[in-house]
Amino acid sequence: MDQAREYSSPASDDGPLDSYSETVMRVAETVTPHVAAIEMTGKGRNGRFRVGAGSAVLFTEDGYLLTNSHVVAGTQEGHAVFADGSRTDVELVGADALSDLAVVRGRAPKVAPAEFGDAESLRVGQLVIAVGNPLGLAGSVTAGVVSGLGRAIPVWAGSNRRVIEDVIQTDAALNSGSSGGALADSRSRIVGINTAVAGAGLGLAVPINATTRRIISALLADGRVRRAYLGVVSTPIRLNASAVVRTGQRDGLRVVEVLAGSPADNAGMSAGDILLSAGGRQVSNAESLQKLLFADAIGQPLHIAVLRDGREKDLVAVPEEMAGNP
């Protein structure tokens, strides 16, 4: 008996682990039914063949699913399989390469749609759960914490280099089959769409926020999003005390890279600049800049204030339309 008591006593110290496990299991159980495996196909001489595959999140009662643009690139139709085994043919509604988001539609499903949250409420260190549905691996779950917010990552799409803005970085590892799956918070709300476009094992997700909701609405209405772009890779930064006094703001966007030949490059922006404002509005994260870069900004002068070597400098860029969007 003494041995039994001695063996069981460490379990009393596992409360936090048990609570963590229970949260992950509860979220996985709630979110998994909303996440489907999708396989997009093309047509050849010998019939249909697979072009792209990944995961997708059901977000309306009438069968619309959200996934990654790179999963559906070059396709128009395919099929989706939910965790309960139900299957539906899907067709592409629209895709936006710059946000790496796409919408496909199938038949009205048996399961209820997922609940969207707001990634703007996320904090570094917060628990998040990634749920994918790679073909043959329904309900693939990884968990981790938010390790970075407001990231911008450069990716290659064919011969074109693009920048996906405002990415959530987590230590929840992903594989290519989980692309298009759900990133959920501890209340089972979808706060991001996972993307493995930058490489297997990296936990990256496109946030669900006001900007991406606008993108989704445009895809539903028009099948495409006319987007302006500057061509910068940036990351949020807290200004030092002297810069706060000089500029009157606490946060900005540090320019990590300027894409060659881009509007930002043509305007004279350089790596190391700190973006303070654009169009007269302060920018402190990728979304605040992204909000200014929709169709009405294409071809229009955009006044940008940057901090360079401790001094403010005014630049004028002319955003261009993002080429290659469907």
Side-chain angles (χ1 to χ4, degrees):
M1 294 293 293
D2 291 341
Q3 287 181 339
R5 285 195 295 270
E6 184 176 340
Y7 176 80
S8 62
S9 61
S12 63
D13 296 329
D14 289 345
L17 177 61
D18 288 345
S19 175
Y20 173 89
S21 299
E22 288 175 1
T23 299
V24 173
M25 289 187 292
R26 173 176 49 78
V27 173
E29 183 178 359
T30 302
V31 173
T32 296
H34 310 309
V35 182
I38 62 169
E39 185 175 81
M40 303 301 289
T41 57
K43 199 170 186 179
R45 290 183 178 180
N46 299 321
R48 305 207 68 83
F49 61 94
R50 188 172 83 172
V51 176
S55 303
V57 180
L58 178 71
F59 69 100
T60 72
E61 294 180 349
D62 50 351
Y64 286 93
L65 299 102
L66 189 61
T67 186
N68 287 147
S69 175
H70 76 267
V71 169
V72 303
T75 68
Q76 289 296 321
E77 57 187 40
H79 63 266
V81 181
F82 289 91
D84 63 2
S86 60
R87 176 187 174 112
T88 178
D89 291 335
V90 297
E91 61 180 2
L92 179 64
V93 175
D96 178 50
L98 189 57
S99 63
D100 198 27
L101 291 177
V103 174
V104 298
R105 186 182 186 182
R107 295 189 306 272
K110 299 177 182 178
V111 297
E115 177 187 356
F116 279 168
D118 185 1
E120 293 305 295
S121 65
L122 291 177
R123 297 292 181 269
V124 172
Q126 183 174 336
L127 172 66
V128 284
I129 298 93
V131 180
N133 198 339
L135 293 175
L137 296 172
S140 177
V141 177
T142 56
V145 298
V146 175
S147 50
L149 294 166
R151 304 294 196 222
I153 57 169
V155 297
W156 286 95
S159 60
N160 297 320
R161 195 156 186 248
R162 295 169 174 159
V163 178
I164 300 177
E165 299 281 1
D166 205 19
V167 172
I168 303 166
Q169 182 181 343
T170 83
D171 62 2
L174 301 175
N175 56 54
S176 58
S178 294
S179 282
L183 186 72
D185 63 15
S186 60
R187 296 175 62 182
S188 303
R189 298 171 301 188
I190 312 305
V191 291
I193 299 298
N194 298 319
T195 175
V197 70
L202 292 178
L204 301 171
V206 180
I208 298 297
N209 55 29
T211 301
T212 51
R213 287 173 187 269
R214 184 174 175 181
I215 292 169
I216 294 167
S217 295
L219 293 176
L220 290 171
D222 303 319
R224 66 190 296 261
V225 182
R226 292 192 68 214
R227 299 289 301 272
Y229 89 107
L230 284 175
V232 295
V233 180
S234 62
T235 187
I237 187 173
R238 179 62 61 89
L239 302 185
N240 60 37
S242 61
V244 171
V245 172
R246 185 177 296 109
T247 65
Q249 64 185 81
R250 295 181 178 277
D251 304 286
L253 281 175
R254 182 170 61 86
V255 177
V256 177
E257 183 181 0
V258 178
L259 303 188
S262 68
D265 187 26
N266 294 335
M269 198 175 298
S270 302
D273 286 349
I274 298 175
L275 276 166
L276 299 173
S277 67
R281 300 183 183 182
Q282 290 187 3
V283 292
S284 57
N285 54 44
E287 192 196 2
S288 60
L289 180 60
Q290 204 175 33
K291 287 177 180 177
L292 305 176
L293 296 175
F294 282 92
D296 52 0
I298 297 170
Q300 300 299 314
L302 181 67
H303 293 267
I304 299 172
V306 302
L307 193 64
R308 179 182 297 172
D309 298 328
R311 297 182 179 181
E312 287 191 57
K313 186 175 181 65
D314 294 323
L315 306 174
V316 179
V318 181
E320 300 172 359
E321 182 168 6
M322 178 67 188
N325 273 10

